[in-house]
Amino acid sequence: MKLLKFVLIGVFMLALAACGRDTNNPDNRAYANEAEQLRVAEPTPEPPPAPIPIPAVIPEPTPKPTPPPAPVNPICFYRAAEYIATMEAWFDADDGALWGVNLRAPFAFACGVTRYAVANMPDNRGIFERHESGLYVGILPQGIVIGTTATHVDDRMWGMMTWSFVEDFSDGTDYVARIMAHEVFHAWQPELFEGPETWFSRAAFAYMDTFDARVSVRLEINALKHALYSIGNERLAAINDALSIRAERRRRNFGAGANENVFEIAEGTATYTDIRLARSDVAGILEVIEIYTRQFDYGRVRHLFGYITGALYGFLLDEFNSDWKIGLTWGCDLGALLKEAAGIMELTPFAELDLELYGYTEIAAIEAEWAINYARLVQEAIEAFTGRTLRLDRRVGVIGDDRDVNILHITELGMSATVIYGSFTFTFPGGKFTITDGFLLMGRLGGSEFPAAGIEIDGNRITGQNWVLVLNDGYEVRFVETPVRDGYIVARQ
């Protein structure tokens, strides 16, 4: 009887074990739960371990991220082809007459947001592919500087223009093609000029924000313009006066000469080239010079004077000596070359000049009014940037429609601080700023800042002190605390 009892108990235990297995699994690998699996695997009757909890909800596998869409091409192939054809036709018509070489060179239009670019020829890195339009298209890798400038795309210097520059400054094909030729010539300069490449810092021209220096450079330009459309002794007298005005300014500002020389060589010869390619008569040359000079009314003397004076010295040198470009160096004094070419032995003392010949009274009145407005804007800018700001970790390059903005250099905000005042737009990957009679600060802490007093955040629309920011999807404005200054930043969500 006892033997039968033990047999029945054994059969009962085997039946219970069988209930825990998946009878549909031939390998008997599936179990009702992990606690039962552990009990079956134990060879001894020791107490089972605590069961391992099973999540109530099994998480879904993480989906693979969707690749970002291909950058949209904002560049119009038809217009790009027209601009490039105009520029290259000028180069071919010149065919080396100006500088001894045909100035055809690599050039690209580029979008600073998408990095999409359209070029006139292939590169040596495989970035560009031929397009059905006959141009070349590609996405510029990170590390290639995008701007209206000369830049390295491969092992060569390329001329480049941002497409936003074209959109904002499209005063016609002639204007755009001239600026393109200007940037292409920058790419040629290291090969055309002798000696090590030298550049300049506009910070060295702080004296150009003073009344005397601004009046002086305007007088010099007017004397050079007078010389260009005069002949004979009248031309020689005007050149003498321009050089005397120039010498007096440099005497009053120690070290000014060397920096001014480099500025005129770097930017003046490029301006001379782009105008000479597009204009063959004195009236046409002076018309373009006047466009540059009008920018002086917006605090841009220190930024632009070398473009104008350098070009004018080049045009006058053409009148006396066609070989002045041979052996040109980065630090060459174009004024000294003109003095020699014109056979001027001694300059008229500055105190003996009749400055009214070059509009002194009118110029002085304009500059006196500018000085008052400049002082007012400087004080307003200091107050605007004393408090919290909205900061971008990038410097603003070309801003939309910036021809009528004021440029202020305010050392109270930092030695390298530059303030832009006026009405303009600025587009960057995170969105678009629209500024109306407002300030933008560049150079402090290496980025760009907007006054953020009274900032209002309404979804993707951010309103600040005389500016509005519309954010692109995926970006937001955050408040941050730093040891230096609390404020706001634009960041990815």
Side-chain angles (χ1 to χ4, degrees):
M1 190 68 177
K2 288 183 180 181
L3 178 60
L4 177 61
K5 182 177 180 181
F6 283 113
V7 170
L8 290 174
I9 291 174
V11 171
F12 181 71
M13 293 298 292
L14 289 173
L16 284 176
C19 289
R21 298 175 181 156
D22 182 359
T23 56
N24 295 320
N25 186 338
D27 296 327
N28 292 322
R29 288 193 296 261
Y31 295 86
N33 55 58
E34 295 190 26
E36 179 65 27
Q37 179 184 0
L38 290 171
R39 282 197 295 271
V40 172
E42 289 171 359
T44 63
E46 295 179 4
I52 300 174
I54 299 176
V57 178
I58 298 176
E60 294 287 338
T62 303
K64 294 183 179 180
T66 303
V72 176
N73 172 28
I75 300 172
C76 173
F77 286 107
Y78 174 80
R79 292 172 63 192
E82 180 183 10
Y83 297 142
I84 289 172
T86 299
M87 176 185 69
E88 293 186 338
W90 290 345
F91 291 156
D92 291 342
D94 173 71
D95 197 26
L98 278 178
W99 293 97
V101 293
N102 187 310
L103 294 174
R104 274 184 178 252
F107 176 86
F109 290 108
C111 173
V113 176
T114 65
R115 306 191 70 83
Y116 198 99
V118 174
N120 65 336
M121 61 180 67
D123 64 301
N124 296 332
R125 295 175 57 182
I127 298 171
F128 293 104
E129 296 181 354
R130 188 171 178 84
H131 185 263
E132 61 186 15
S133 64
L135 301 177
Y136 294 81
V137 299
I139 306 298
L140 294 176
Q142 294 295 329
I144 294 178
V145 175
I146 293 179
T148 300
T149 185
T151 186
H152 278 285
V153 173
D154 48 21
D155 56 351
R156 301 167 294 176
M157 287 288 286
W158 286 52
M160 184 178 289
M161 179 181 287
T162 63
W163 193 250
S164 62
F165 187 99
V166 177
E167 294 291 303
D168 295 326
F169 293 85
S170 54
D171 293 343
T173 301
D174 177 88
Y175 178 84
V176 174
R178 277 198 304 102
I179 305 303
M180 292 165 60
H182 184 106
E183 304 307 338
V184 166
F185 184 73
H186 278 313
W188 274 103
Q189 283 175 326
E191 297 185 35
L192 296 175
F193 299 161
E194 296 183 0
E197 183 174 355
T198 307
W199 208 243
F200 61 93
S201 168
R202 286 186 173 87
F205 302 130
Y207 63 91
M208 280 294 179
D209 288 337
T210 66
F211 174 83
D212 285 347
R214 290 172 62 87
V215 170
S216 170
V217 81
R218 282 180 179 267
L219 290 171
E220 180 186 3
I221 288 171
N222 283 354
L224 292 171
K225 289 162 60 178
H226 186 88
L228 192 59
Y229 60 70
S230 301
I231 59 173
N233 289 334
E234 185 177 353
R235 169 175 283 175
L236 291 175
I239 292 173
N240 191 312
D241 291 350
L243 293 173
S244 181
I245 293 167
R246 175 188 183 90
E248 178 64 14
R249 180 180 67 251
R250 294 182 172 196
R251 184 189 68 80
R252 294 182 183 183
N253 299 279
F254 178 77
N259 284 306
E260 289 185 12
N261 290 345
V262 177
F263 191 6
E264 289 175 339
I265 290 294
E267 295 295 354
T269 58
T271 304
Y272 158 86
T273 301
D274 77 60
I275 297 176
R276 183 62 90 189
L277 288 168
R279 300 287 189 273
S280 58
D281 60 303
V282 171
I285 289 170
L286 292 176
E287 178 187 7
V288 177
I289 291 294
E290 184 59 29
I291 293 172
Y292 278 102
T293 307
R294 283 200 295 267
Q295 298 301 306
F296 282 6
D297 296 337
Y298 299 97
R300 298 189 177 186
V301 171
R302 77 153 79 177
H303 290 262
L304 291 176
F305 77 91
Y307 289 75
I308 303 169
T309 55
L312 285 169
Y313 280 111
F315 295 131
L316 284 166
L317 280 164
D318 283 346
E319 298 296 315
F320 290 96
N321 182 358
S322 60
D323 295 331
W324 65 273
K325 306 181 194 76
I326 297 176
L328 208 59
T329 65
W330 288 93
C332 223
D333 185 341
L334 294 177
L337 291 181
L338 181 59
K339 181 183 176 183
E340 180 181 358
I344 297 174
M345 303 302 295
E346 187 175 349
L347 297 179
T348 304
F350 179 77
E352 298 177 14
L353 299 181
D354 182 3
L355 299 180
E356 289 300 334
L357 289 173
Y358 312 112
Y360 175 80
T361 298
E362 181 181 357
I363 290 172
I366 292 172
E367 290 303 333
E369 181 180 359
W370 181 87
I372 294 172
N373 290 333
Y374 185 85
R376 174 182 57 82
L377 289 174
V378 166
Q379 187 58 41
E380 291 179 3
I382 291 173
E383 294 173 0
F385 290 105
T386 298
R388 291 173 175 172
T389 63
L390 173 65
R391 183 172 180 273
L392 302 179
D393 288 327
R394 58 171 50 227
R395 289 181 65 90
V396 175
V398 175
I399 57 179
D401 196 19
D402 76 341
R403 284 169 287 187
D404 297 335
V405 302
N406 292 269
I407 300 178
L408 317 173
H409 300 275
I410 307 175
T411 55
E412 290 87 345
L413 296 175
M415 290 302 297
S416 60
T418 299
V419 174
I420 296 176
Y421 171 79
S423 299
F424 52 93
T425 60
F426 165 54
T427 302
F428 70 110
K432 180 178 181 179
F433 280 95
T434 301
I435 298 89
T436 306
D437 294 330
F439 292 103
L440 160 65
L441 170 61
M442 296 187 294
R444 184 171 70 173
L445 304 178
S448 304
E449 298 175 69
F450 297 83
I455 189 172
E456 296 182 2
I457 301 176
D458 182 13
N460 72 331
R461 182 180 176 87
I462 320 298
T463 304
Q465 192 173 339
N466 296 80
W467 55 264
V468 174
L469 166 62
V470 178
L471 291 170
N472 292 334
D473 292 341
Y475 287 84
E476 64 180 356
V477 167
R478 299 175 187 167
F479 178 74
V480 293
E481 297 180 355
T482 68
V484 179
R485 181 180 293 103
D486 295 344
Y488 300 86
I489 62 170
V490 177
R492 289 188 178 274
Q493 292 177 338

